[in-house]
Amino acid sequence: MNFVFSYNSPVGKWLGFVSAVWVQAISGNNYTFSNYSDALKTLMALTQLQLNNLSVAKDIGKAFGILAGLASDRLSTPVILLIGGIEGFIGYGVQWLVVSGTIKPLPYWVMCIFLCMGGNSTTWMNTAILVTCIRNFRKNRGPVTGILKGYVGLSTAIFTDICSALFSSDPSTFLLLLAVVPFAVCLMAIFFLREIPPSSTSTEEKEEVKYFGVINIIAVIIAVYLLVFDISGSHGKVFSQIFAAILLVLLASPLFIPIHLMVKNFIRENSVNLDVEGNNNITEPLLGVEETVTTDEVEKKEVVVVEEENAVPAVVVVEKRPPVIGEDHTIFEAIRTLDFWILFVSFLCGVGTGLTVMNNLGQMGLALGFVDVSIFVSLTSIWGFFGRIISGSVSEYFIKKAAVPRPIWNAASQILMAVGYICLAMAMPGSLYIGSVVVGICYGVRLAISVPTASELFGLKYYGLIYNVLILNLPLGSFLFSGLLAGLLYDAQATTTADGGNTCVGAHCYRLVFIVMSIACIVGFGLDILLSIRTKNLYAKIYASRKGKKTSAVLS
């Protein structure tokens, strides 16, 4: 069998997408801070404000994602992936050296730099993956974004559960995995992921939808599998090893799609060869007869410009109009629009508050009497996956069926998130479980919906930079809600410990933080409703365009 493939072939296209899925499945390291934050706090004798500012430094790495956005228009996908892999290896590798005791704790500002590098590494990975895959599958942006962002959400649970299953949740081993595994997967992906022309026929589009459905089913199975492992209590060593082995098989299973296409192509080529060899009466050439172009046709296609000897050429001045919503925008054209800032601020209200919960889950759990918070980290990750993967497909379905603006789903998530924060503020029994699930779902919806929305409003030509400017909300939200709001309010309630750090136990530690964040979500809800109203004409045009193409395909 000939396993040589072309990047532009269906086999190459889906090998690239599967490798993208694998990169996303290990690129959510930015959300795993709670798994080793307590080790850093104890080792470096930090206050909660200092610890939160370390998490802010990690998220500030996202701000330098603008560099990845600029590079996406100038460098190839493999180069961008390689930069992200190397940077993550260094950033998390140094943190592992410190937590494992291999080297002495570095000065606080130096640790901030390496956490920033670790956070920035994911922007290179995500930019390479999202920009390339959305361009390759531009007619299925919702499912593509839902799947890729879904696996980012699962990555936290994947790392957490494998580490707890095999290494008893050891923070230093966890950091070693964060350093080595993403680097290795990025090295693999650079051989397969390329930007290729999107599908051009309705048959190819239907095939894409079918394969996306297969990958969605696999992803849901992985999420349920992780969830069952988390809620089934403690496990023995042998059981945990079996769990980890099955998980790796499930993660590898999307490879079935390109293998299936490869086998199908092999069978088709063999059948063609057998037909050729078995038919001795063939009189037509194998490649078909090329159409000839007559002299008259050539003459019709030529443009003859006749200039008089002393004529003065006329100067035609064409005034360039600014692009409208739905057309390609440069970043400077995008930031001049009101729609960009509505999307930006509403995105801040959702992801900024969500990141605060993820970064502080360790201390939130300890405040409510939980010794091990890994279950909450995994719950947030797994339900974040469901929020991402469902919202991507559902929003795409309702655009095609009823022209429902995609931002309306962001509005729904903001209200649900506000309810989740109120539940956390009440600190009832089980509220941290409920809050982790609700925040995970809504944070996932927010990411999965905002990414394709930006591409539909401002186009794909400069999308890499626009996407990275939009996710400036991650460091900004982390600074405002986690670094300032949660850090200062927690320290105001905490008591100083003997080693110079501080701690707080009780529901009061984060109550005011949750109330403020619920108000922020209500503001975000209003902005999302406004954006839905302003973009309803755009989505009506998208709906009409897709319906027209579908009708033309049926008639033809």
Side-chain angles (χ1 to χ4, degrees):
M1 181 181 293
N2 182 15
F3 287 97
V4 178
F5 69 93
S6 166
Y7 287 110
N8 292 337
S9 71
V11 175
K13 184 177 187 177
W14 284 99
L15 269 176
F17 188 74
V18 171
S19 65
V21 165
W22 289 342
V23 171
Q24 294 296 80
I26 50 82
S27 64
N29 42 26
N30 209 43
Y31 303 116
T32 60
F33 184 70
S34 292
N35 282 333
Y36 57 92
S37 61
D38 199 52
L40 283 175
K41 184 177 183 181
T42 303
L43 191 67
M44 300 178 67
L46 303 175
T47 65
Q48 187 61 34
L49 180 61
Q50 289 173 321
L51 182 66
N52 282 9
N53 284 334
L54 273 183
S55 73
V56 171
K58 163 186 66 70
D59 294 326
I60 283 176
K62 296 280 189 180
F64 295 101
I66 291 178
L67 299 176
L70 290 169
S72 68
D73 295 328
R74 294 166 176 80
L75 300 178
S76 65
T77 300
V79 173
I80 297 174
L81 278 174
L82 185 61
I83 293 172
I86 292 173
E87 191 176 21
F89 181 76
I90 296 172
Y92 288 102
V94 171
Q95 293 178 63
W96 168 72
L97 291 173
V98 171
V99 173
S100 64
T102 306
I103 62 175
K104 293 182 179 180
L106 299 173
Y108 184 80
W109 66 271
V110 177
M111 288 298 294
C112 286
I113 291 175
F114 286 108
L115 265 85
C116 181
M117 288 182 66
N120 182 247
S121 67
T122 61
T123 66
W124 292 87
M125 299 177 198
N126 291 339
T127 298
I129 296 303
L130 285 171
V131 172
T132 303
C133 289
I134 286 180
R135 287 174 178 171
N136 288 352
F137 300 94
R138 62 185 64 195
K139 295 179 182 178
N140 285 287
R141 301 181 196 186
V144 167
T145 306
I147 289 170
L148 295 177
K149 284 294 184 182
Y151 271 95
V152 172
L154 277 183
S155 65
T156 304
I158 290 169
F159 274 118
T160 301
D161 287 351
I162 287 181
C163 189
S164 62
L166 302 180
F167 311 109
S168 302
S169 302
D170 177 52
S172 64
T173 306
F174 187 83
L175 280 167
L176 182 61
L177 289 176
L178 290 183
V180 174
V181 174
F183 177 63
V185 175
C186 284
L187 288 181
M188 175 278 302
I190 64 176
F191 293 104
F192 300 107
L193 188 60
R194 298 287 190 282
E195 188 173 326
I196 60 177
S199 60
S200 57
T201 65
S202 59
T203 303
E204 291 179 15
E205 288 181 43
K206 290 179 181 178
E207 192 173 57
E208 286 180 4
V209 172
K210 179 178 69 175
Y211 291 140
F212 286 139
V214 172
I215 295 178
N216 273 332
I217 291 171
I218 294 171
V220 170
I221 291 171
I222 293 173
V224 172
Y225 182 64
L226 291 167
L227 185 60
V228 170
F229 180 80
D230 287 335
I231 65 177
S232 57
S234 58
H235 312 91
K237 183 177 181 181
V238 175
F239 183 89
S240 298
Q241 290 174 343
I242 294 173
F243 158 80
I246 295 175
L247 178 58
L248 293 176
V249 171
L250 289 173
L251 289 171
S253 58
L255 196 59
F256 162 80
I257 293 173
I259 291 175
H260 167 72
L261 290 171
M262 198 178 294
V263 172
K264 192 165 71 170
N265 290 343
F266 175 75
I267 295 173
R268 185 188 299 119
E269 289 174 5
N270 279 355
S271 64
V272 170
N273 290 336
L274 287 173
D275 289 341
V276 171
E277 293 170 3
N279 189 351
N280 296 324
N281 298 320
I282 295 177
T283 57
E284 297 179 3
L286 295 178
L287 299 179
V289 180
E290 293 185 3
E291 294 183 1
T292 57
V293 182
T294 64
T295 306
D296 291 338
E297 288 173 334
V298 172
E299 289 174 356
K300 289 177 185 177
K301 294 178 182 178
E302 290 178 352
V303 179
V304 181
V305 181
V306 180
E307 294 185 5
E308 296 183 8
E309 186 176 349
N310 297 319
V312 179
V315 178
V316 180
V317 179
V318 180
E319 185 177 351
K320 182 183 177 182
R321 66 169 178 82
V324 297
I325 292 300
E327 297 178 347
D328 288 323
H329 288 63
T330 65
I331 184 59
F332 298 107
E333 290 168 339
I335 62 177
R336 293 193 192 105
T337 65
L338 178 60
D339 299 286
F340 177 86
W341 291 109
I342 295 174
L343 179 62
F344 187 91
V345 178
S346 69
F347 193 47
L348 174 66
C349 294
V351 298
T353 57
L355 268 178
T356 301
V357 173
M358 295 177 188
N359 288 339
N360 289 270
L361 267 177
Q363 284 64 50
M364 289 176 182
L366 292 174
L368 294 178
F370 293 94
V371 177
D372 184 8
V373 297
S374 61
I375 177 64
F376 303 114
V377 176
S378 292
L379 284 174
T380 304
S381 173
I382 293 167
W383 287 99
F385 156 79
F386 284 117
R388 297 172 201 226
I389 205 163
I390 293 173
S391 62
S393 297
V394 169
S395 64
E396 193 76 24
Y397 174 83
F398 279 98
I399 289 174
K400 293 177 180 178
K401 293 297 180 181
V404 176
R406 214 184 288 267
I408 199 71
W409 304 101
N410 278 337
S413 73
Q414 294 281 60
I415 282 294
L416 184 58
M417 188 177 267
V419 173
Y421 291 142
I422 292 172
C423 178
L424 286 168
M426 295 172 69
M428 298 180 297
S431 63
L432 194 54
Y433 289 94
I434 297 172
S436 298
V437 171
V438 170
V439 170
I441 291 173
C442 297
Y443 185 84
V445 171
R446 185 82 244 190
L447 284 176
I449 296 296
S450 298
V451 170
T453 299
S455 73
E456 287 158 348
L457 267 59
F458 307 113
L460 285 171
K461 188 174 182 180
Y462 306 101
Y463 178 67
L465 184 55
I466 290 173
Y467 165 74
N468 278 285
V469 171
L470 187 62
I471 63 170
L472 285 175
N473 279 298
L474 296 177
L476 180 60
S478 179
F479 171 72
L480 292 176
F481 292 104
S482 182
L484 291 182
L485 179 70
L488 291 174
L489 293 182
Y490 179 94
D491 283 345
Q493 303 290 338
T495 56
T496 305
T497 58
D499 59 5
N502 65 6
T503 187
C504 180
V505 177
H508 63 285
C509 299
Y510 283 98
R511 179 170 287 129
L512 187 55
V513 176
F514 292 132
I515 292 173
V516 173
M517 293 197 301
S518 65
I519 295 171
C521 285
I522 293 171
V523 173
F525 165 78
L527 292 172
D528 286 322
I529 291 294
L530 176 60
L531 187 61
S532 299
I533 295 170
R534 290 178 59 86
T535 58
K536 65 179 182 179
N537 290 334
L538 168 65
Y539 286 98
K541 291 177 182 177
I542 294 174
Y543 167 77
S545 173
R546 292 178 178 178
K547 188 175 181 180
K549 288 179 181 178
K550 186 176 180 180
T551 303
S552 300
V554 171
L555 292 175
S556 62

